[in-house]
Amino acid sequence: MTETHFDYLVVGTGLFGSVFSHEMIKRGKSCLVIDKRNHPAGNIYTSEVRGIHVHEYGAHIFHTSSRRIWEYINQFAEFNHFVNSPMAVYKDEIYNLPFNMNTFSRLWGVKTPEEARKKINEQIKAPAGGEAQNLEEQALSLAGRDVYEKLIKGYTEKQWGRDCKELPAFIIKRVPLRFTYDNNYFTDRYQGIPVGGYTAIVEKMLSGADVRLETDYRQFCNEQKRAKESGEDFVSWDKILYTGMIDEYFDYCLGNLEYRSLRFEKEDMPLVDNYQGNAVINYTERDIPYTRVIEHKHFEFGAGEGTVITREYPASWEPGREPYYPINDEKNNQLFAAYQKLAGKEKNVLFGGRLGQYRYYDMDKVIEAALDMVSAESKESSV
């Protein structure tokens, strides 16, 4: 019987698990990284089709205001100067996003910020009683009728699968109205797409780890336990980093946390050079079932032959489907807090990432959180 021992069993090859593994290996620790999927990189996985790097799980544009995080990710890839400038289609009209002077000029024919502000103020409707009771009232109080009807209402209802009057007001805490002719969606100082795709970044991060794909966590643990008990070769570890769903780790003993999911419809067009002229175009009418169309080649300025597009459909979530967006309402946050209490009692188990911490993370915040966990682990091991 041979025991193969690791300092950490890392569950998930997404960005959180990969950053953690890379850094712990640099510090002399050994990591076994497993993933139930047949590829690494989690939801930032990019495949390659004729030189086009396809974002298989939706568009991922790296952006951050942190120079530290920007320099960190640039260790693993060269980033281009892509700027996210999505468009929105409503019926036969097309608008710039985010809501800016180009949007307002198209809506009302205005030319100056003063004219745009005046038009919006004319349309803003304060909620009865002074406090918005639903998302529609909130949006109307922030952006007015035209922006709400054409650019918010249908898109939001598709995303959440419910009428805006049935959605809580807190979903829209603010509407980003920008009174400049600037189509850059993000306000972060640093932005871009990695040349060569995201998968290559993760593969570099995990180069010093033992990586096993198509490996289910629960099944793997049970197999190692049986192997040890029967005198066969087995694998052991000191600690676990779990980046899957925290409620799944505890066998849903307190109930299911809720998510919204997505469905992707990819279309390969080898004979089409340019399908829509932009990387991302949103479709804001509720009657159109998808929320946006991504044309992947435009992330790298027309690289590759032909084109590949992905239509993105919001979907309800149920156990067994891929969870994407945590529903951080009061009920789910209370349930997550209860799971956190259970997690605090687990010996030598860490929970990280979007699913382990039940929150939506931008990629830079994922890296930051993983580095913070590495720092905490390093301090603990040095005590």
Side-chain angles (χ1 to χ4, degrees), residues 61 86 192 228 249-250 271 324:
I61 298 104
K228 181 179 180 180
Y249 177 88
F250 291 105
L271 301 180
Y324 284 93

Side-chain angles (χ1 to χ4, degrees), residues 171-225:
I171 291 176
I172 293 186
K173 295 180 180 178
R174 65 183 183 87
V175 175
L177 304 174
R178 301 181 189 170
F179 296 93
T180 62
Y181 289 93
D182 182 359
N183 298 322
N184 185 355
Y185 192 83
F186 300 118
T187 58
D188 293 306
R189 181 177 180 183
Y190 307 104
Q191 182 177 174
I193 297 287
V195 177
Y198 287 101
T199 303
I201 288 177
V202 169
E203 288 174 343
K204 288 180 181 178
M205 288 180 175
L206 295 176
S207 60
D210 186 333
V211 180
R212 305 185 189 186
L213 302 175
E214 298 182 275
T215 302
D216 176 79
Y217 165 72
R218 191 73 63 191
Q219 182 179 344
F220 180 74
C221 290
N222 289 336
E223 287 173 354
Q224 302 315 308
K225 182 179 179 181

Side-chain angles (χ1 to χ4, degrees), residues 264-283:
F264 302 103
E265 181 183 270
K266 185 170 68 175
E267 186 174 354
D268 186 7
M269 300 178 174
L271 301 180
V272 177
D273 182 60
N274 186 355
Y275 176 77
Q276 64 182 17
N278 203 52
V280 181
I281 296 185
N282 291 358
Y283 287 80

Side-chain angles (χ1 to χ4, degrees), residues 3-11 30-34 212 215-225 228 234-241 249 347-349:
E3 176 185 5
T4 304
H5 186 77
F6 294 88
D7 293 303
Y8 290 92
L9 171 66
V10 178
V11 184
S30 56
C31 294
L32 169 60
V33 188
I34 64 173
R212 305 185 189 186
T215 302
D216 176 79
Y217 165 72
R218 191 73 63 191
Q219 182 179 344
F220 180 74
C221 290
N222 289 336
E223 287 173 354
Q224 302 315 308
K225 182 179 179 181
K228 181 179 180 180
F234 70 99
V235 174
S236 63
W237 49 83
D238 292 329
K239 281 190 172 184
I240 296 171
L241 167 60
Y249 177 88
K347 187 177 180 181
N348 296 326
V349 182

Side-chain angles (χ1 to χ4, degrees), residues 318-332:
E318 57 188 31
R321 299 195 71 167
E322 190 65 34
Y324 284 93
Y325 302 109
I327 300 178
N328 292 115
D329 58 14
E330 185 177 354
K331 179 185 73 171
N332 282 287

Side-chain angles (χ1 to χ4, degrees), residues 3-41:
E3 176 185 5
T4 304
H5 186 77
F6 294 88
D7 293 303
Y8 290 92
L9 171 66
V10 178
V11 184
T13 61
L15 193 55
F16 194 104
S18 297
V19 170
F20 181 88
S21 300
H22 177 78
E23 292 300 316
M24 296 313 296
I25 289 169
K26 279 170 55 178
R27 288 159 175 77
K29 303 296 184 179
S30 56
C31 294
L32 169 60
V33 188
I34 64 173
D35 200 299
K36 64 183 179 181
R37 292 176 176 174
N38 63 0
H39 61 73

